[in-house]
Amino acid sequence: MASLGRGREKEQDALSPRAARAQLGKMGITDLEATPLVIDDHDEGAQKKWLLAGMVLHRNVFHINTIISALRPAWGNPKGLLLRSVGENKFIAKVATERDRSRVWEGSPWHVSKNAVILSEFEDCMKPSELRFDRLQLWARVMNLPFNLRDKKWWLPIARQIDETVKEVQFDHVGGFLRARVTVLVAQPLRRWILIESAMRQCTDLYEIQYEQIPNLCFSYGRLGHSDLMCLTPGSRDGNGSLPYGKGLRAPDEKKWSYSEGSTREQSSASASNADTRKSSNTAEKGAEVTSPLKKSNSNNKRKAGEVKKVYRKVEAPRLMITSSAVGHDESHMVQEEEPIRTGLGESTGGVEEEPNPKKKRPTPTSSEDLAAAAGQPCQSQ
């Protein structure tokens, strides 16, 4: 474990009191400066703290609230999670249980805006200068291995070509690749291939390496911390316009790919189904208009927009009337008169007087004679 390694480094760095005084003497420190303050900072009744130190690997400074907003949901919002800033892009994380701490440690790599979060072991008694953010743990894949090298006895030797301290290794027989939990140095470029000299194949073959959930990577130099677009000194490109490192280092995310593919297929099938439904319904409607025996199309009944509808009323034709003076005379003395034409609205033509309408308003008299005549007439209601 990294904690044990950190403990050995602290034992090697610690000096005995006599060695410390000798070293201080070489530095020319006075007796007053060499007098230490002896304190007992052990807290016997203190509860065990589960702590981790972290740093966002980016040249720009992130606010601590931005880091919290990214890591809290990614870590599953563990109980008692507290993050506090201890420097530019550096923080201390505290959780309530060892289980949550182990899950966060083993779930690396974590990202903040696609930038790597480097985790480090931490204790309260450590100095800030003792924090080391130079290693990142992630899963690596060795692709396209021969079938005879997929046996379990070859897993560790092949994985230790990438990292000599590999302990966790497995083989994905469905995907056809070796999978190992490796630790990479942040300051060094990622390894792209491994070479295997096989006696059975009688040749030396090159096998590609891919990294899972890899954060921003510089394609010019293969280092973590920034993308190729943010590189201040970009590298030269080959004849095809490609940089020395490329997207081939990123392992495809099968879960994301399968989900998006399934969603796309469902959406396309749903769209096709809806289109077929609309097409069939339109066809059925058109067929009903054309072939239905109960409903025949009549183009004369269709009016254009804005066209005025014409209404025709039935009018009686004029008839011949014989007057009393024409009785007993020749047909030449017959007088032809037109019967008044009555329309459907109660109007009449032909010079025949209309029947008086009692409800019709009388004209208003204008002269004194008209007023006297109107006064002598009885009221219609009498």
Side-chain angles (χ1 to χ4, degrees), residues 335-371:
V335 180
Q336 181 176 359
E337 296 182 358
E338 290 183 1
E339 185 179 357
I341 300 173
R342 299 184 180 274
T343 63
L345 299 177
E347 300 176 354
S348 62
T349 59
V352 182
E353 295 182 357
E354 297 180 0
E355 296 180 1
N357 187 1
K359 296 183 180 180
K360 187 175 181 180
K361 187 177 179 180
R362 293 179 180 179
T364 304
T366 58
S367 62
S368 59
E369 296 177 358
D370 295 338
L371 290 173

Side-chain angles (χ1 to χ4, degrees), residues 54-298:
M55 183 185 72
V56 181
L57 192 62
H58 197 265
R59 64 168 62 95
N60 296 334
V61 179
F62 288 88
H63 195 275
I64 185 62
N65 291 337
T66 303
I67 299 175
I68 294 173
S69 300
L71 295 183
R72 183 183 293 276
W75 291 353
N77 194 17
K79 181 181 178 181
L81 175 62
L82 293 175
L83 281 84
R84 56 188 176 93
S85 177
V86 292
E88 293 185 355
N89 291 344
K90 298 178 182 180
F91 61 89
I92 301 298
K94 176 184 177 182
V95 292
T97 62
E98 182 182 7
R99 181 172 177 270
D100 289 334
R101 179 187 177 279
S102 300
R103 182 169 53 84
V104 171
W105 178 266
E106 295 172 0
S108 178
W110 304 105
H111 302 163
V112 174
S113 300
K114 297 183 180 181
N115 299 293
V117 177
I118 312 299
L119 298 179
S120 175
E121 298 283 349
F122 178 77
E123 297 179 4
D124 280 340
C125 59
M126 295 177 63
K127 296 186 294 184
S129 59
E130 294 176 348
L131 294 176
R132 296 289 182 269
F133 300 104
D134 55 355
R135 288 177 171 82
L136 177 65
Q137 291 187 352
L138 41 76
W139 287 95
R141 301 177 181 179
V142 182
M143 310 300 295
N144 197 29
L145 286 173
F147 291 99
N148 65 324
L149 298 182
R150 300 186 180 189
D151 294 338
K152 191 174 182 178
K153 63 180 180 179
W154 302 114
W155 294 357
L156 273 177
I158 295 175
R160 286 179 176 172
Q161 289 291 107
I162 307 173
D163 180 16
E164 296 180 354
T165 63
V166 169
K167 295 181 180 179
E168 189 174 358
V169 62
Q170 54 189 248
F171 197 92
D172 190 333
H173 292 278
V174 177
F177 54 82
L178 181 68
R179 190 167 180 261
R181 183 73 171 175
V182 300
T183 301
V184 297
L185 296 177
V186 176
Q188 295 182 3
L190 294 177
R191 186 165 183 173
R192 294 168 286 182
W193 309 286
I194 61 172
L195 293 176
I196 298 178
E197 183 179 352
S198 172
M200 292 187 63
R201 294 177 58 83
Q202 298 181 358
C203 63
T204 302
D205 295 317
L206 183 144
Y207 297 95
E208 183 183 25
I209 302 175
Q210 293 181 353
Y211 299 91
E212 299 180 6
Q213 299 180 1
I214 191 173
N216 279 341
L217 171 71
C218 178
F219 291 164
S220 295
Y221 303 100
R223 295 190 181 93
L224 301 173
H226 63 273
S227 63
D228 57 319
L229 299 178
M230 299 295 294
C231 185
L232 299 178
T233 56
S236 59
R237 299 177 180 267
D238 58 10
N240 298 326
S242 301
L243 293 170
Y245 295 80
K247 297 181 179 180
L249 288 173
R250 300 182 184 274
D253 191 350
E254 285 82 2
K255 293 182 180 179
K256 182 178 180 181
W257 176 80
S258 61
Y259 174 78
S260 61
E261 183 187 20
S263 301
T264 305
R265 289 180 179 178
E266 291 177 1
Q267 293 176 1
S268 60
S269 62
S271 301
S273 177
N274 294 335
D276 294 341
T277 303
R278 290 193 298 268
K279 183 177 180 181
S280 61
S281 61
N282 294 337
T283 304
E285 291 177 359
K286 293 180 181 179
E289 290 288 332
V290 175
T291 62
S292 174
L294 301 179
K295 185 177 181 181
K296 297 181 180 180
S297 62
N298 187 4

